[in-house]
Amino acid sequence: ASAGSTVMGGKRKRAPGAAKEKPAAQEPRLNGRVTHVDEDGVRWEGHIKDGERHGRGTLFFPDGACQSGRWVDGDMTGRGEYIDEDGSRIEGTWADGDLCGSVTEFDPGGFALFDGTYEGSRRHGPGAMFHKD
């Protein structure tokens, strides 16, 4: 995998934060805590403001993956976590829906595989790769 890829467990992952669809765009100015399932089967459990994800919440994808954290105006922002369907996970910092800054990737057993920085949802800058012996 290239230094900019988001590979965990030997397979390429969609970039966490890639699901930027607004969950209730067709419904005018919804506010409060909701559970919403879009036409693709992506479920949002959390807060919305003016029809967009806003506040704490979790996205559940049809493949079993999920993404939890804080959203601002529809984009994940701040510390959060993405858990893939195989149990591997990424803990890190998001800005405007993209991973950026400090990030740690874990395998399904919880072993840290990478600890470093991301920019634009890709590995970028200093970091360390770890391998089980």
Side-chain angles (χ1 to χ4, degrees):
S2 69
S5 65
T6 54
V7 175
M8 294 178 7
K11 57 185 176 173
R12 181 146 183 81
K13 301 290 155 206
R14 79 176 154 270
K20 292 186 178 183
E21 295 178 28
K22 310 304 184 227
Q26 71 279 9
E27 301 175 32
R29 309 188 72 77
L30 287 176
N31 293 286
R33 184 156 178 78
V34 301
T35 297
H36 178 272
V37 180
D38 70 18
E39 62 277 356
D40 295 323
V42 176
R43 185 176 82 236
W44 167 252
E45 293 183 7
H47 293 275
I48 59 171
K49 178 181 174 187
D50 296 330
E52 294 189 12
R53 296 178 194 114
H54 194 89
R56 304 258 344 135
T58 302
L59 279 174
F60 296 91
F61 300 96
D63 65 6
C66 66
Q67 184 174 345
S68 297
R70 180 171 168 72
W71 272 257
V72 175
D73 297 327
D75 292 319
M76 192 157 158
T77 300
R79 295 293 298 170
E81 179 178 55
Y82 171 84
I83 303 173
D84 199 34
E85 70 271 12
D86 69 1
S88 56
R89 73 183 196 279
I90 296 174
E91 295 177 357
T93 304
W94 275 258
D96 299 323
D98 289 322
L99 270 167
C100 65
S102 175
V103 173
T104 305
E105 298 175 8
F106 298 90
D107 73 8
F111 180 80
L113 298 172
F114 173 79
D115 187 51
T117 58
Y118 269 50
E119 183 177 299
S121 292
R122 300 181 74 114
R123 292 179 187 159
H124 182 81
M129 297 285 299
F130 304 101
H131 302 277
K132 292 181 182 178
D133 289 332

